[in-house]
Amino acid sequence: MLFNLRKSAILLCALGSSAYAASNSTDPNDLQAPREITCVHLAEPLELTALYGSFNVQWTTRLEKGPYWSEKVDADGTYFRAPIGGVSVRGKSGGAFPGQPTTTDGGFYVPNNAAKPITLYSYFSTEPVSPQITQASSCTEVAFVKDTNSKKVDLVALTTGGAIGGAVGGALGTSLARGSTVSVGQAAGTGAAGGAIGTFLIGAIINAGVGKIVWIQPPIKDAQFLDKLKALADKRVGVGEAQLTIAPAK
């Protein structure tokens, strides 16, 4: 009997989650790019396990470590994008929360009003995104590149020494954002300080065609988790511009 009640609760939750996503989504095309790109670095994953609902169902929400960069803004706050697949919600047995995959692209939203809580968001998807954990030690390794024609920010990359290498002959690179218009593969080069550049994670800032933005379910209400995330967000730093040279294919 208890099993059936739990099963019914999960089914109702799935229906509710789908309806919620449909009525509470945001088209990223309707959002603006920030005037200044900033970065919040998580030196270690931030995770919360809690019980939710009348049946006290356990869910674990996790933000992977790495740089979170300001990809979008609206009138009320800023969206900080996680590394690929950097947001996850799993049940006690490892299953997904009804209506959303276990792992998604997304991040956290920081309201301009400091009295309002930070919330987690994702790009709505029906399939889980394989997490790609970055090895960046701080936000100083994050840089952006402007499109030569539009002069708008075109790329966000992880690098060492203030420069971004080409696409031939180096370590395997992975994009910071899904749907990159830049070929993601091998990267190599020399840093501005003269040292060898290591692994690069190159990807275009997503402006369209990546799905609607929805709030992660279940919503985080734990004060300790939110306070820690806010303290990190308060230490955000600006992201500088770097040079990018794509080597011709051979």
Side-chain angles (χ1 to χ4, degrees):
M1 178 66 176
L2 180 59
F3 174 79
N4 289 332
L5 285 173
R6 286 182 179 271
K7 198 170 183 181
S8 298
I10 291 174
L11 177 59
L12 288 173
C13 200
L15 294 173
S17 180
S18 299
Y20 179 90
S23 61
N24 293 276
S25 62
T26 299
D27 188 335
N29 294 311
D30 295 335
L31 300 174
Q32 299 295 316
R35 291 183 178 180
E36 177 189 12
I37 296 179
T38 55
C39 173
V40 175
H41 186 261
L42 270 62
E44 57 186 19
L46 188 57
E47 185 175 287
L48 172 70
T49 297
L51 302 177
Y52 298 87
S54 302
F55 295 97
N56 289 323
V57 181
Q58 178 178 301
W59 299 102
T60 297
T61 304
R62 179 183 174 97
L63 295 176
E64 296 295 346
K65 69 177 184 178
Y68 288 62
W69 46 278
S70 57
E71 62 166 346
K72 294 289 184 180
V73 295
D74 60 21
D76 299 315
T78 304
Y79 295 80
F80 283 89
R81 179 69 172 265
I84 291 177
V87 183
S88 65
V89 178
R90 291 185 172 88
K92 191 173 183 179
S93 61
F97 187 86
Q100 66 188 28
T102 51
T103 54
T104 64
D105 285 326
F108 56 86
Y109 176 80
V110 180
N112 296 330
N113 185 344
K116 293 185 176 180
I118 290 176
T119 51
L120 274 55
Y121 72 93
S122 71
Y123 285 95
F124 186 76
S125 174
T126 57
E127 297 293 332
V129 178
S130 297
Q132 297 183 19
I133 311 304
T134 74
Q135 299 304 315
S137 60
S138 72
C139 284
T140 59
E141 297 178 45
V142 179
F144 70 85
V145 179
K146 289 185 178 179
D147 180 85
T148 55
N149 296 317
S150 67
K151 304 302 181 183
K152 294 182 178 180
V153 171
D154 184 48
L155 310 174
V156 169
L158 295 187
T159 182
T160 301
I164 302 170
V168 178
L172 183 66
T174 7
S175 65
L176 269 175
R178 292 172 64 78
S180 172
T181 57
V182 173
S183 176
V184 176
Q186 295 185 341
T190 301
I197 299 178
T199 300
F200 306 100
L201 297 95
I202 302 174
I205 286 183
I206 304 303
N207 293 316
V210 295
K212 298 294 182 65
I213 292 176
V214 295
W215 302 119
I216 286 287
Q217 300 296 310
I220 299 295
K221 296 183 179 180
D222 182 82
Q224 186 175 0
F225 181 97
L226 295 176
D227 287 347
K228 186 172 183 178
L229 193 53
K230 183 180 185 302
L232 292 169
D234 287 343
K235 296 178 181 178
R236 73 191 77 173
V237 297
V239 173
E241 186 172 2
Q243 299 299 315
L244 173 67
T245 301
I246 300 296
K250 293 182 180 181

